[in-house]
């Protein structure tokens, strides 16, 4: 912390933070009601939303947690978690995007439970979906805040709690004030920074390691053969874990990520959805693998004695990127280090705002307004949105101050919770005529409950090490499978009640007795 | 030759080759004699599909489809 290089890095970060805050405050002038606050008045250019969605999917999970997890447990996680997520963007456009966007204005859709409620009908599906969103938001946002906390505490030489509190305070200011418009502008800047940082990261890593093949060969020669082999990593379970995430949670599960998919409501022209799918995928494909690569690079540096054993020295692999950017680059190339750190912070922020908004909207709009207080004025709803965003923010703060898990696991739990709660019901909503109100409601409940149950009950009392041997991060895959099965089975045996949007999607005449 | 069209990591392998460093990244695994579920065969091919086939082909197809059916992209 006394090095001049680290001081230069700190200056780069402070300038970046001031820029972000300024945009948040400036964006306040665009907020006139919930429409602007939640979906930017449905007038945001598609390329901005593609950038934002990619940033929201990359997050500090990929930029911070995943390199640490790869450092500790092997590069197979890059192919299990990161690469399949690229396919989630086109999958979303192909299966869901058109209907979400063209129905948005008529049905005043702003959230994912809105869409489910209008297709399946009924209040319970909204409530279960909203509960799943709140649970997922808390875990996922905590991962982002923890990453910022670790990074700021390392670079500023303060303790973790102070670093995390600083990151939280900045986020709250620009999200609560600026809403969707602030998010769109800030995240265009954030993702641009992430792309620059990623390209720099790959170039540096390649130079430090003497080539890609040499990097692996050196690591494997040191005895880490299981680390480098998907069949052997994690006691042989990495292969199963890879399959469940590649085939289900990372790819099709992206459809259920409200922080990513809800952005479709904000697209100006429905005909440009393809650009969202392509941009999101490509930006993600450039940025996520780059930081995963840094996890492997740091492992190499440890093997050749140019880096300490991060887990032994800091007690957690979460410090891999913090060490690399602050201590290695702080000494060798501080401006580049500052840019890489800004890339990580940008990745976290591009996600945090989404989660605070999702969590608040899930309670204020999806549960209170839509189910119990339908007569709220727009002004009352906007006020409630801000109040509940603060409440969710406080829950996230509490979780951030006492983080029980590694960053990558916290984020994976949140991702899996969204995937299992929402993705099966959303995918079947547009692809299967046989869905019913009770099928959808039961499926959302099962996905939400099974994943939360496996995560909370199996995980916390038994601890991470033993959980690896049981369900660890496969909870979302089990939730998704059971949710699909439940929707199909319950739909087959229950009354054919559906919401109004169902009849438009499937071109089925609406029965006159139909009630929502 | 397909190796040249793979994803980001395969580009690094290609760069290695250009610099006269032979190899495929993780040596051995997935090559003949190794477990097929391991790294090279499954993962690099998967990377190619996820990088090129799914995003680029499907989204360009969707774009062409949307031009043929502008009526299906009108607000309800």
């Amino acid at each position: 912390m006394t090095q001049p290089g680290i001081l230069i890095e700190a200056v780069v970060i402070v300038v970046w933070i001031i820029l972000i805050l300024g945009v948040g405050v400036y964006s306040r002038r665009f907020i006139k009601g919930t429409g602007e606050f939640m979906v930017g008045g449905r007038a945001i250019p598609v390329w901005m939303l593609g950038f934002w969605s990619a940033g929201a999917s990359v997050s500090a999970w990929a930029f911070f947690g995943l390199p640490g997890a790869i450092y500790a447990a092997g590069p197979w996680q890059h192919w299990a978690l990161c690469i399949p997520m690229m396919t989630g963007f086109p999958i979303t456009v192909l299966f869901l995007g058109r209907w979400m966007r063209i129905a948005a204005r008529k049905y005043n859709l702003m959230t994912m439970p809105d869409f489910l409620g209008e297709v399946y009908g009924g209040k319970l599906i909204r409530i279960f979906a909203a509960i799943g969103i709140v649970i997922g938001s808390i875990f996922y946002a905590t991962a982002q805040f923890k990453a910022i906390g670790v990074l700021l505490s390392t670079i500023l030489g303060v303790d973790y709690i102070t670093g995390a509190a600083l990151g939280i305070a900045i986020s709250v200011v620009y999200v609560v004030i600026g809403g969707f418009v602030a998010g769109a502008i800030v995240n265009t800047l954030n993702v641009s920074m992430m792309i620059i940082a990623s390209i720099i990261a790959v170039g540096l890593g390649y130079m430090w390691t003497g080539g890609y093949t040499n990097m692996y060969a050196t690591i494997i020669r040191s005895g880490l053969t299981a680390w480098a082999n998907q069949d052997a990593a994690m006691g042989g379970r990495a292969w199963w874990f890879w399959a469940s995430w590649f085939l289900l949670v990372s790819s099709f599960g992206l459809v259920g990520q409200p922080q990513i998919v809800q952005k479709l409501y904000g697209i100006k022209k429905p005909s440009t959805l393809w650009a969202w799918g392509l941009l999101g995928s490509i930006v993600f494909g450039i940025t996520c693998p780059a930081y995963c690569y840094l996890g492997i690079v740091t492992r190499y540096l440890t093997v050749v004695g140019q880096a300490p054993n991060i887990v032994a020295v800091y007690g957690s692999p979460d410090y891999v990127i913090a060490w690399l950017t602050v201590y290695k680059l702080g000494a060798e190339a501080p401006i580049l280090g500052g840019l890489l750190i800004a890339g990580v912070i940008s990745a976290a922020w591009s996600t945090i705002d989404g989660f605070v908004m999702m969590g608040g909207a899930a309670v204020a709009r999806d549960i209170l307004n839509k189910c119990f207080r339908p007569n709220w004025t727009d002004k009352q709803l906007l006020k409630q949105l801000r109040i509940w965003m603060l409440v969710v923010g406080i829950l996230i703060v509490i979780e951030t101050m006492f983080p029980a898990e590694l960053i990558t696991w916290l984020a994976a739990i949140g991702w899996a919770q969204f995937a299992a709660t929402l993705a099966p019901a959303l995918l079947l909503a547009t692809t299967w005529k046989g869905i019913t109100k009770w099928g959808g409601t039961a499926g959302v409940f099962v996905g939400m409950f099974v994943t939360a149950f496996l995560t909370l009950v199996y995980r916390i009392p038994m601890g991470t090490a033993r959980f690896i041997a049981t369900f660890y991060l496969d909870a979302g895959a089990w939730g998704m499978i059971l949710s699909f099965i439940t929707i199909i089975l319950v739909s087959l045996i229950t009354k054919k009640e559906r919401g109004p949007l169902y009849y438009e999607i499937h071109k089925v005449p609406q029965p006159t007795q139909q009630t929502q | 030759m397909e190796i040249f069209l793979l994803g980001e990591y395969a580009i690094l392998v290609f760069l290695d080759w250009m610099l006269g460093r032979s190899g495929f990244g993780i040596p051995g695994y997935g090559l003949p004699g190794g477990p097929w579920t391991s790294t090279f065969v499954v993962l690099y091919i998967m990377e190619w599909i996820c990088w090129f086939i799914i995003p680029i082909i499907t989204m360009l197809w969707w774009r062409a489809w949307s031009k043929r059916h502008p009526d299906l992209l009108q607000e309800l």
Side-chain angles (χ1 to χ4, degrees):
Chain A
M1 69 196 114
T2 51
Q3 288 176 24
I6 295 179
L7 190 65
I8 294 170
E9 286 187 332
V11 170
V12 173
I13 300 307
V14 169
V15 169
W16 186 248
I17 288 171
I18 290 170
L19 181 68
I20 298 288
L21 280 176
V23 170
V25 174
Y26 171 78
S27 303
R28 187 177 165 74
R29 67 180 59 191
F30 299 110
I31 308 300
K32 297 183 179 70
T34 49
E36 286 80 15
F37 190 76
M38 293 287 296
V39 292
R42 298 198 177 91
I44 309 286
V46 66
W47 66 271
M48 286 179 95
L49 292 173
F51 266 41
W52 189 2
S53 296
S57 55
V58 173
S59 78
W61 178 6
F63 269 40
F64 208 81
L66 205 45
I70 285 171
Y71 176 91
W76 58 270
Q77 294 164 100
H78 160 71
W79 286 287
L81 299 171
C82 171
I83 289 297
M85 276 183 203
M86 289 185 71
T87 64
F89 293 90
I91 287 172
T92 303
V93 172
L94 294 174
F95 289 100
L96 193 68
R98 178 168 75 92
W99 285 109
M100 273 184 67
R101 180 58 193 86
I102 65 174
R105 212 175 287 275
K106 179 174 176 181
Y107 291 94
N108 194 26
L109 305 177
M110 293 187 189
T111 63
M112 305 306 276
D114 273 350
F115 186 83
L116 291 174
E118 296 300 336
V119 175
Y120 288 92
K123 291 177 181 172
L124 272 178
I125 193 168
R126 285 179 185 273
I127 294 173
F128 292 146
I131 292 170
I133 287 175
V134 172
I135 296 172
S137 294
I138 290 170
F139 277 106
Y140 208 119
T142 299
Q144 316 305 315
F145 282 129
K146 190 182 174 195
I148 293 180
V150 168
L151 202 47
L152 289 182
S153 63
T154 309
I155 195 166
L156 299 176
V158 296
D159 60 279
Y160 164 73
I161 299 282
T162 310
L166 186 61
I168 289 165
I170 295 164
S171 309
V172 167
V173 169
Y174 92 80
V175 179
V176 175
I177 290 176
F180 197 91
V181 178
I185 299 171
V186 165
N187 285 297
T188 303
L189 295 172
N190 279 342
V191 174
S192 305
M193 176 59 77
M194 285 156 60
I195 293 170
I196 294 167
S198 298
I199 292 166
I200 294 170
V202 173
L204 286 173
Y206 192 83
M207 285 193 301
W208 289 337
T209 54
Y212 188 71
T213 297
N214 181 58
M215 174 180 72
Y216 274 122
T218 308
I219 293 171
I220 291 165
R221 270 200 305 275
S222 77
L224 288 167
T225 48
W227 178 89
N229 185 347
Q230 178 166 272
D231 262 4
M234 238 166 72
R237 288 186 180 84
W239 153 241
W240 161 245
F241 178 80
W242 171 81
S244 65
W245 275 72
F246 172 52
L247 297 174
L248 278 171
V249 187
S250 274
S251 50
F252 286 93
L254 189 140
V255 174
Q257 305 299 314
Q259 77 281 13
I260 300 168
V261 177
Q262 223 156 274
K263 312 267 186 310
L264 291 175
Y265 290 138
I267 287 177
K268 203 171 176 180
K269 292 182 191 166
S271 59
T272 58
L273 277 165
W274 67 273
W276 179 87
L278 191 59
L279 264 178
S281 196
I282 298 297
V283 171
F284 184 88
I286 291 171
T287 51
C288 180
Y291 274 73
C292 288
Y293 177 58
L294 286 186
I296 310 170
V297 167
T298 312
R299 186 84 247 181
Y300 166 90
L301 294 174
T302 298
V303 164
V304 298
Q306 292 177 27
N309 184 326
I310 304 291
V311 180
V313 172
Y314 295 96
S316 164
D318 279 341
Y319 282 81
V320 162
I321 293 296
W323 178 85
L324 196 72
T325 50
V326 175
Y327 292 110
K328 182 155 180 69
L329 282 172
E332 295 178 14
I335 293 179
L336 292 182
L339 291 176
L340 284 182
I341 295 169
V344 175
I345 293 179
S346 301
W349 268 328
S350 64
T351 317
I352 286 166
D353 46 23
F355 285 114
V356 179
M357 282 176 71
M358 296 312 104
V363 181
R365 183 181 155 82
D366 297 321
I367 297 180
L368 296 178
N369 175 229
K370 288 286 180 180
C371 298
F372 302 107
R373 292 280 187 275
N375 297 324
W376 271 348
T377 62
D378 196 58
K379 204 170 176 182
Q380 282 175 310
L381 178 58
L382 186 57
K383 184 181 164 191
Q384 290 292 326
L385 277 171
R386 285 187 162 134
I387 290 171
W388 284 100
M389 279 166 67
L390 279 175
V391 172
V392 170
I394 289 166
L395 288 173
I396 294 167
V397 169
I398 293 168
E399 174 74 8
T400 304
M401 293 305 168
F402 308 100
E405 290 294 338
L406 297 180
I407 288 166
T408 198
W409 304 153
L410 285 165
I413 290 163
W415 182 284
Q417 184 71 49
F418 291 134
T421 304
L422 301 171
L426 289 166
L427 288 165
L428 289 173
T430 56
T431 53
W432 187 43
K433 265 187 184 177
I435 53 164
T436 67
K437 170 180 157 184
W438 290 109
T441 305
V444 169
F445 173 77
V446 166
M448 180 268 291
F449 179 78
V450 166
T451 308
F453 180 82
L454 291 177
T455 302
L456 298 173
V457 177
Y458 277 86
R459 231 171 108 264
I460 292 173
M462 297 171 73
T464 303
R466 284 189 62 190
F467 194 76
I468 286 176
T470 53
F471 292 97
Y472 205 18
L473 300 175
D474 289 335
W478 295 114
M480 280 182 79
I481 292 166
L482 290 174
S483 178
F484 272 120
I485 293 171
T486 304
I487 295 171
I488 292 167
L489 290 182
V490 176
S491 293
L492 287 173
I493 58 170
T494 51
K495 200 176 159 192
K496 307 303 177 197
E497 286 180 81
R498 287 101 178 198
L501 183 52
Y502 166 87
Y503 297 98
E504 301 217 48
I505 291 174
H506 295 287
K507 311 259 185 299
V508 175
Q510 189 164 358
T512 48
Q513 296 295 317
Q514 183 65 37
T515 51
Q516 258 197 76
Chain B
M1 288 301 286
E2 283 80 1
I3 190 80
F4 301 150
L5 296 174
L6 296 179
E8 200 159 309
Y9 287 7
I11 291 168
L12 298 181
V13 173
F14 177 58
L15 195 57
D16 274 357
W17 289 7
M18 298 295 286
L19 296 171
R21 301 160 181 162
S22 61
F24 288 94
I26 301 177
Y29 304 114
L31 292 172
W36 74 273
T37 50
S38 189
T39 47
F40 181 74
V41 168
V42 171
L43 301 181
Y44 285 166
I45 290 174
M46 166 191 155
E47 195 163 310
W48 182 62
I49 292 169
C50 293
W51 240 106
F52 289 96
I53 300 296
I54 296 177
I56 296 175
I57 303 290
T58 62
M59 287 301 93
L60 290 181
W61 170 83
W62 196 91
R63 181 170 177 259
W65 173 86
S66 69
K67 285 189 174 171
R68 286 198 306 275
H69 303 284
D71 51 310
L72 296 178
L73 290 162
Q74 300 299 317
E75 299 266 5
L76 292 179

